[in-house]
Amino acid sequence: MSRINKNVVLALLTLTSSAFLLFQLYYYKHYLSTKNGAGLSKSKGSRIGFDSTQWRAVKKFIMLTSNQNVPVFLIDPLVLELINKNFEQVKNTSQGSISQCTFFCVPRDFTAFALQYHLWKNEEGWFRIAENMGFQCLKIESKDPRLDGIDSLSGTEIPLHYICKLATHAIHLVVFHERSGNYLWHGHLRLKEHIDRKFVPFRKLQFGRYPGAFDRPELQQVTLDGLEVLIPKDPMHFVEEVPHSRFIECRYKEARAFFQQYLDDNTVEAMAFRKSAKELLQLAAKTLNKLGVPFWLSSGTCLGWYRQCNIIPYSKDVDLGIFIRDYKSDIILAFQDAGLPLKHKFGKVEDSLELSFQGKDDVKLDIFFFYEETDHVWNGGTQAKTGKKFKYLFPKFTLCWTEFVDMKVRVPCETLEYIEANYGKTWKIPVKTWDWKRSPPNVQPNGIWPISEWDEVIQLY
């Protein structure tokens, strides 16, 4: 009887232990694994879960930068667009509440981050630690364009891009540098001869095909796929900047050669005009940016930037171009509220519109509106005394950012073609006498305004 009782007790103990083990396995599978992010390979936004190569690479990169106090922020357009679509969800997500991988698990070759170089304290140490953690890193350097105007410093090199690969996924770290106009700039990712072209698919990179300029973004911290990440506070503003971010430098070398041939005017009058013109350009930019109206340097102001990296002292005005599609009806009122009274208005919105505003010290702001045709663009001119109309033809062009008198402003990307259309092949030679009705090679008669419309199309103040 004693032996039977022992066997029964042993059987009961075995059964109880087995039941408890099964309960533990069930509990782990259905509760703990969910909390810890395991077993989530079937995510809603992707077929790849938290075990994906992409997510592991991003996680390791964020751990690396966080431990080394490297203030990186996410600039990947694809991920920022996903964030924008799910912004309320992202804002209300805490680190432990992630149930599926949505942002960093989409199969792709790169994820793009950025940092502001002046905030980076230990560049070389970070590079070594990244390689010790298993990353293969490539560093792209080039000369600092901010020093091109200074002969003794123009060869100084700065880091522009890092590409750190872990397994099959790469992190593209874009290095932003501060510029005088209080904006951020990144350089061209130009591969040197010794670099392995097969290291990553470089052609798929979304940053670095050309230099770029961006507004300085305000940042906020969010949790994405269980990872704490800094992002632009307005993600879509940054995304919208990307396709229009191309930047071209002033031609400092050619400007120095120009001033060796034609001495710069450093008289008191010339310096006073340049100061007033710079202030007028700053005020005009502030006014148009507030309206959301894109503009570019045109005519003599554009020539001064391209030829001598400065304002032409004998030009006596500031010239801007605006596409007529961007015209806003309150533009005149906005300039008047900014302290710039209307001096004259020629033409009308449908045809040859031109506005001129009076700045201080007798410096004038001229705004030319451009009309787009199938194979060219044009702006108009009107002779006040006769009502004669003129048309100035330009080849089609796109817009790029540049830096001019410590400002981030736009210019035609195809600058040489733009200037040659307006000033001919001899644009390098200074011409102080200029007849806007005859001198430009791209001018042509465009009829005459009917006398019945003069009150509308010729307004002098």
Side-chain angles (χ1 to χ4, degrees), residues 14 49 88 137 171 201 212 220 296 318 374:
T14 303
E88 288 303 316
C137 289
I171 304 297
Q220 66 175 339
W296 65 89
V318 172
T374 303

Side-chain angles (χ1 to χ4, degrees), residues 263-280:
L263 294 180
D264 194 9
D265 186 349
N266 291 316
T267 61
V268 173
E269 293 79 11
M271 294 177 69
F273 168 74
R274 281 178 169 151
K275 180 176 181 294
S276 297
K278 177 180 177 179
E279 292 173 354
L280 180 58

Side-chain angles (χ1 to χ4, degrees), residues 34-45:
T34 301
K35 290 181 180 180
N36 292 328
L40 296 175
S41 59
K42 295 180 181 179
S43 63
K44 184 178 180 180

Side-chain angles (χ1 to χ4, degrees), residues 29 32 45 128 132 174 182 189 193 201 245 252 283 288-289 292 321 358 362 367 442 444 456:
K29 180 178 180 181
L32 292 183
R128 289 194 300 271
N132 290 337
V174 181
N182 194 32
L189 199 160
E193 290 184 3
S245 63
Y252 295 105
L283 183 56
L288 291 170
N289 289 338
Q358 185 61 61
D362 205 32
I367 299 180
N442 63 336
Q444 59 180 235
E456 178 189 358

Side-chain angles (χ1 to χ4, degrees), residues 31-76:
Y31 294 95
L32 292 183
S33 61
T34 301
K35 290 181 180 180
N36 292 328
L40 296 175
S41 59
K42 295 180 181 179
S43 63
K44 184 178 180 180
S46 165
R47 295 181 180 178
I48 301 175
F50 286 94
D51 59 343
S52 71
T53 303
Q54 294 91 318
W55 187 81
R56 289 200 303 269
V58 172
K59 179 184 178 182
K60 209 164 188 178
F61 175 76
I62 291 174
M63 288 173 56
L64 166 66
T65 55
S66 177
N67 291 338
Q68 296 298 309
N69 294 316
V70 182
V72 301
F73 58 98
L74 183 70
I75 60 169
D76 195 285

Side-chain angles (χ1 to χ4, degrees), residues 119-176:
L119 300 176
W120 200 357
K121 304 302 181 185
N122 185 23
E123 178 191 350
E124 292 303 323
W126 177 89
F127 192 80
R128 289 194 300 271
I129 294 171
E131 292 187 327
N132 290 337
M133 290 179 68
F135 284 101
Q136 295 176 273
C137 289
L138 176 67
K139 180 180 181 180
I140 307 294
E141 292 182 303
S142 189
K143 65 178 184 177
D144 190 342
R146 296 168 296 181
L147 304 177
D148 276 356
I150 308 172
D151 284 330
S152 60
L153 298 176
S154 60
T156 304
E157 291 206 335
I158 54 173
L160 300 178
H161 299 266
Y162 278 96
I163 299 175
C164 292
K165 184 171 67 170
L166 186 69
T168 59
H169 192 71
I171 304 297
H172 180 195
L173 181 58
V174 181
V175 183
F176 279 126

Side-chain angles (χ1 to χ4, degrees), residues 427-458:
W427 57 269
K428 292 183 182 179
I429 303 172
V431 177
K432 295 187 177 181
T433 302
W434 187 259
D435 183 349
W436 61 268
K437 301 180 295 298
R438 297 184 181 86
S439 299
N442 63 336
V443 66
Q444 59 180 235
N446 193 29
I448 189 169
W449 291 107
I451 294 178
S452 60
E453 295 185 12
W454 278 27
D455 289 341
E456 178 189 358
V457 300
I458 301 175

